[in-house]
């Protein structure tokens, strides 16, 4: 075994991509490869949330950190900095990952990976880490690292991805188990 | 990229978890030029740092105290209250030419629901020409004030002898529970 493909999910002007099967105790680590998610709306943020087994709604409590490296295409503004606008302390909002301010011009999108550890655990909170890169609407490259935990000891069995405004015009998410 | 599972070790009040070439079906040699160690829900008996060290082939069965490690360490953190969000270099967690165990993350809390999880990648451990580079990213609930910490540890093992043994432990006390999977990368 190793990286085991479970399913793929392709957006077509979709409000969200919700994966509601295949996350269970089979693996203690799941990886999501998020490829070229393109927003219908300009200057929006790609996000995820989860739902605990037997609960309703994607609204679990998340504590997270985020920091970004970015550079404008004209060569200016290169820096690395913590992003207080994208973290949350015991928040229930969808969590920003991959990039901020993704543009919706034809060649703009975001891509990256999200790792979710031990979602079926009924003992521990669930750690996650995400790394992504995107094309900011102002013609910046933005690299974003997000890490944290979902503060529930209930099993997590559903995950949802969406932009924080407007639809996912296109893009594909591949889900793998690691075992 | 493909991952090939080599060995799974599960802690149960264990002082260490060790992958040793030639023992317990572990093959840790030149079969792969990179190895990944995925540690999941590592729960300490005592709140402390999660660590690793290696033995080179000229110190087989040794005490994981001769290979010199030089590494950097930085981390992002945020309290559950939403305060103190920052990313910074942590001079207290790096090491320079030290044979100590290397810190993968600081102060993992030991409350019932706390643990740490992450991935350590070790490049070309069987090389007898080059030093061995590594990188790791680990997430944990941070001891003392309910922080989340996203830690990045990377550096090299300053040894041109092949590496074929690796050990994981907490700074203080046993690994109460947790699983580490060793993969070859191809």
């Amino acid at each position: 075994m190793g990286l085991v493909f479970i399913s793929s999910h392709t957006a077509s002007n979709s409000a969200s991509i919700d994966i509601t099967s295949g996350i269970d105790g089979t693996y203690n680590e799941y990886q999501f490869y998020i490829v070229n998610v393109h927003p219908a709306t300009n200057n929006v943020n790609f996000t995820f949330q989860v739902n605990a087994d037997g609960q309703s709604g994607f609204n679990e409590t998340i504590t997270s950190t985020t920091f970004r490296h970015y550079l404008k295409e004209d060569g200016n503004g290169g820096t690395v900095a913590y992003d207080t606008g994208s973290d949350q302390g015991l928040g229930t909002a969808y969590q920003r990952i991959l990039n901020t301010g993704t543009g919706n011009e034809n060649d703009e999108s975001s891509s990256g990976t999200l790792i979710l550890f031990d979602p079926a655990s009924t003992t521990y909170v669930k750690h996650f880490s995400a790394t992504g890169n995107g094309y900011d609407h102002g013609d910046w490259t933005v690299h974003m690292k997000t890490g944290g935990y979902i503060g529930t000891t209930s099993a997590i069995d559903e995950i949802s991805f969406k932009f924080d405004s407007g639809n996912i015009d296109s893009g594909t998410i591949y889900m793998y188990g690691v075992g | 990229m493909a991952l090939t599972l080599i060995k799974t070790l599960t802690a149960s009040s264990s002082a260490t978890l060790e992958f040793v070439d030639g023992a317990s079906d572990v093959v840790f040699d030149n079969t792969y030029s990179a190895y990944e160690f995925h540690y999941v829900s590592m729960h300490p008996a005592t709140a402390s740092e999660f660590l690793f060290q290696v033995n080179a082939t000229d110190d087989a069965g040794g005490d994981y105290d001769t290979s010199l490690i030089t590494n950097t360490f930085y981390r992002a953190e945020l309290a559950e209250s939403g305060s103190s969000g920052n990313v910074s270099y942590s001079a207290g967690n790096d090491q320079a030419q030290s044979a100590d165990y290397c810190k993968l993350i600081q102060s993992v809390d030991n409350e019932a629901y706390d643990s740490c999880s992450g991935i350590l990648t070790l490049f070309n451990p069987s090389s007898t020409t080059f030093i061995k580079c590594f990188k790791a990213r680990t997430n944990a609930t941070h001891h003392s004030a309910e922080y989340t910490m996203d830690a990045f540890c990377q550096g090299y093992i300053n040894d041109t002898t092949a590496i074929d043994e690796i050990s994981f432990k907490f700074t203080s006390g046993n690994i109460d529970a947790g699983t580490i999977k060793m993969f070859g990368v191809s």
Side-chain angles (χ1 to χ4, degrees), chain A:
Chain A
M1 301 228 297
L3 203 58
V4 180
F5 174 75
I6 298 173
S7 60
S8 66
H9 308 264
T10 298
S12 179
N13 201 25
S14 310
S16 65
I17 293 176
D18 297 343
I19 302 175
T20 57
S21 64
I23 303 174
D24 53 29
T26 305
Y27 304 99
N28 67 0
E29 177 185 341
Y30 288 81
Q31 295 193 0
F32 301 87
Y33 283 68
I34 303 154
V35 180
N36 291 143
V37 283
H38 175 73
T41 303
N42 194 39
N43 188 14
V44 292
N45 306 297
F46 195 68
T47 64
F48 87 97
Q49 244 295 4
V50 297
N51 184 34
D53 184 21
Q55 304 296 310
S56 61
F58 293 100
N59 53 11
E60 300 302 326
T61 301
I62 291 176
T63 298
S64 62
T65 61
T66 55
F67 64 99
R68 301 175 296 172
H69 320 218
Y70 40 89
L71 180 72
K72 197 171 172 63
E73 286 183 354
D74 64 7
N76 291 318
T79 194
V80 57
Y82 191 83
D83 179 17
T84 56
S86 297
D87 65 11
Q88 46 182 337
L90 296 179
T92 57
Y94 275 64
Q95 175 62 48
R96 292 181 186 178
I97 54 172
L98 306 187
N99 179 28
T100 53
T102 305
N104 73 337
E105 292 184 40
N106 287 340
D107 60 352
E108 296 175 335
S109 69
S110 293
S111 298
T113 57
L114 168 67
I115 300 174
L116 178 61
F117 293 100
D118 217 0
S121 172
T122 55
T123 303
Y124 302 113
V125 301
K126 285 67 175 177
H127 294 110
F128 64 87
S129 62
T131 303
N133 215 87
Y135 198 149
D136 176 87
H137 69 288
D139 297 334
W140 299 71
T141 181
V142 179
H143 176 77
M144 184 169 176
K145 292 184 187 298
T146 308
Y149 56 83
I150 301 152
T152 179
T153 54
S154 299
I156 299 296
D157 63 354
E158 298 181 345
I159 190 166
S160 173
F161 298 90
K162 68 177 186 178
F163 283 105
D164 58 4
S165 178
N167 286 350
I168 308 171
D169 183 58
S170 61
T172 303
I173 299 176
Y174 302 89
M175 182 169 77
Y176 297 86
V178 181

Side-chain angles (χ1 to χ4, degrees), chain A residues 1-2 28-29 64-65 67 82 87-90 117-118 123-125 127-131 145-149 178-179, chain B residues 3-5 38 40-41 43 74 76-78 80 85-87 112-115 117 137 139-141 148 150 152 177 183:
Chain A
M1 301 228 297
N28 67 0
E29 177 185 341
S64 62
T65 61
F67 64 99
Y82 191 83
D87 65 11
Q88 46 182 337
L90 296 179
F117 293 100
D118 217 0
T123 303
Y124 302 113
V125 301
H127 294 110
F128 64 87
S129 62
T131 303
K145 292 184 187 298
T146 308
Y149 56 83
V178 181
Chain B
L3 296 178
T4 301
L5 180 64
H38 293 224
V40 177
S41 296
H43 179 70
Y74 68 98
E77 54 191 357
L78 181 78
E80 288 185 349
N86 75 94
V87 59
Y113 52 81
D114 290 329
S115 66
S117 299
R137 182 178 185 181
N139 246 267
T141 42
T148 182
D150 191 10
F152 299 80
F183 296 93

Side-chain angles (χ1 to χ4, degrees), chain B residues 19-109:
Chain B
F19 297 87
V20 176
D21 182 49
S24 303
D25 301 321
V26 172
V27 178
F28 191 7
D29 57 14
N30 61 358
T31 304
Y32 301 98
S33 58
Y35 289 82
E36 287 189 359
F37 300 88
H38 293 224
Y39 36 97
V40 177
S41 296
M42 308 306 296
H43 179 70
T46 305
S48 57
E49 293 80 14
F50 190 56
L51 319 164
F52 85 98
Q53 207 3 323
V54 299
N55 279 334
T57 53
D58 59 359
D59 189 26
D63 294 327
Y64 298 97
D65 58 359
T66 59
S67 292
L68 300 180
I69 292 176
T70 298
N71 73 280
T72 59
F73 187 105
Y74 68 98
R75 75 275 202 260
E77 54 191 357
L78 181 78
E80 288 185 349
S81 65
S83 66
S84 305
N86 75 94
V87 59
S88 61
Y89 190 84
S90 176
N93 292 302
D94 63 12
Q95 58 190 57
Q97 292 291 83
S98 170
D100 291 345
Y101 274 68
C102 178
K103 293 176 186 173
L104 291 165
I105 195 159
Q106 289 173 250
S107 303
V108 182
D109 216 341

